[in-house]
Amino acid sequence: MSKEKYVKDLEEIKDIMKRSSRFISLSGMSGISAGIFALAGAYAAYKMVLGNQALEYDKAVLTNNDLTTLLIIAGLCLILAVSSGIFFTSRETKKRKQKVWDHQTKRLLINLAIPLVTGGLLCLIMLFNNYVGIIIPMTLIFYGLALVNISKYTLHELRSLGILEIALGLGAACFIEFSLIFWALGFGALHIIYGVVMQIKNKS
Amino acid sequence: MKELLKDLNKAFENKIRLGIMSVLVVNEYTDFTSLKELLDVTDGNLATHLKSLEKSKYITYVKEFKGRKPNTRYSSTSEGKQAFIRHIKAIEQLLR
């Protein structure tokens, strides 16, 4: 009985444990593409609506028209980011010869959805009650919480990404006049950086 | 040295049995098909090893139906978990 056999055994055990309990096919590319769409969305929002007005502390004058434009931009961003995420992730699962839809994916999505849907509903409630300013910080915070929540079922790097998103969200809540910049940093820049880091890690 | 070897469990000498235990220790339960795919083994081979682990009381199973298809969910017993941890610790000691 050689030592090498046991070293190999241990490695195999670790690999099986990881493969069986975590969803590991998140591709760095989905982070990069989501980041790019977020940056484009933030830029469009700034150009079309927010750039037209003098920004003063906790005061932004939004007409109903502006609000509709912003919501359309936000919706488009979300749809594009999510569908590109699904595309790159399912490509990665195929490459790793794993199933896209198994109980790990299900567990991941449910745990992602709980904080995310809560946050989304709260944002809508705030919107209907005209607390528009708090919405951008809240999207960052709830997204961060959702990431921290799922990090135990997937790549553990998502935990630090989530904590950074929460910090940016709190920052945005302190400086609401700059919240779009915080949002672009959180959903845009951080996603791109994270995606690039993951791609490099995967290759090595 | 003898002390160490005593902790190395015969039941886990086999690769497939070791693999089954690795999966069942970190997951609440896993069904037969997922185990088969994870470990890349044939039905018969997997069944034999599952049976032997069952005999040692290291794993249990629940049979249920998903629609019309039978579905067997396996999970590790606390006895099995402890035995597995002792086995890993013995390996680590041995390698030190």
Side-chain angles (χ1 to χ4, degrees), chain A residues 117-149:
Chain A
V117 172
T118 312
L121 290 176
L122 195 57
C123 282
L124 283 179
I125 295 168
M126 290 295 168
L127 184 67
F128 289 130
N129 287 301
N130 283 323
Y131 297 114
V132 178
I134 200 67
I135 291 178
I136 288 185
M138 269 189 358
T139 55
L140 279 165
I141 291 170
F142 279 94
Y143 179 61
L145 289 172
L147 288 182
V148 171
N149 198 35

Side-chain angles (χ1 to χ4, degrees), chain B:
Chain B
M1 198 60 185
K2 266 211 167 132
E3 277 296 297
L4 280 176
L5 287 176
K6 193 187 71 194
D7 272 342
L8 281 175
N9 200 322
K10 276 260 156 56
F12 304 141
E13 280 296 302
N14 176 284
K15 249 192 176 162
I16 296 169
R17 288 201 288 269
L18 196 65
I20 295 172
M21 285 311 288
S22 311
V23 176
L24 295 183
V25 162
V26 289
N27 289 284
E28 213 183 323
Y29 57 82
T30 310
D31 61 19
F32 190 88
T33 335
S34 313
L35 271 177
K36 203 178 84 179
E37 279 164 9
L38 273 165
L39 303 173
D40 200 18
V41 288
T42 59
D43 278 22
N45 207 349
L46 180 59
T48 318
H49 289 299
L50 283 170
K51 251 210 194 102
S52 94
L53 284 172
E54 231 174 87
K55 235 181 219 159
S56 339
K57 298 220 166 82
Y58 288 162
I59 62 172
T60 57
Y61 63 89
V62 187
K63 275 203 168 141
E64 30 178 54
F65 280 85
K66 249 187 191 172
R68 279 191 191 166
K69 276 190 195 158
N71 185 42
T72 318
R73 290 192 336 196
Y74 292 90
S75 50
S76 55
T77 61
S78 59
E79 213 173 311
K81 275 181 195 140
Q82 275 167 17
F84 184 75
I85 290 168
R86 265 204 305 279
H87 182 72
I88 302 282
K89 280 202 176 134
I91 294 181
E92 281 172 343
Q93 287 280 336
L94 205 69
L95 293 176
R96 204 168 281 165

Side-chain angles (χ1 to χ4, degrees), chain A residues 3 16 36 40 50 62 81 84 90 100 103 114 130 139 144 152 163 167-168 170 177 181 198:
Chain A
K3 281 192 172 186
I16 291 175
I36 290 169
L50 301 175
L62 291 177
S84 70
S90 52
V100 184
H103 88 276
I114 294 169
N130 283 323
T139 55
K152 47 184 176 290
I163 290 171
L168 280 174
L170 291 175
E177 74 272 35
I181 296 170
M198 292 314 291

Side-chain angles (χ1 to χ4, degrees), chain A residues 141-199:
Chain A
I141 291 170
F142 279 94
Y143 179 61
L145 289 172
L147 288 182
V148 171
N149 198 35
I150 60 167
S151 62
K152 47 184 176 290
Y153 305 119
T154 176
L155 310 171
H156 60 89
E157 287 89 347
L158 281 186
R159 193 181 167 82
S160 42
L161 180 66
I163 290 171
L164 285 173
E165 300 280 3
I166 294 171
L168 280 174
L170 291 175
C174 293
F175 306 100
I176 288 192
E177 74 272 35
F178 299 120
S179 57
L180 189 64
I181 296 170
F182 279 94
W183 194 89
L185 277 177
F187 282 99
L190 270 187
H191 272 151
I192 294 176
I193 294 169
Y194 170 82
V196 170
V197 171
M198 292 314 291
Q199 282 301 92

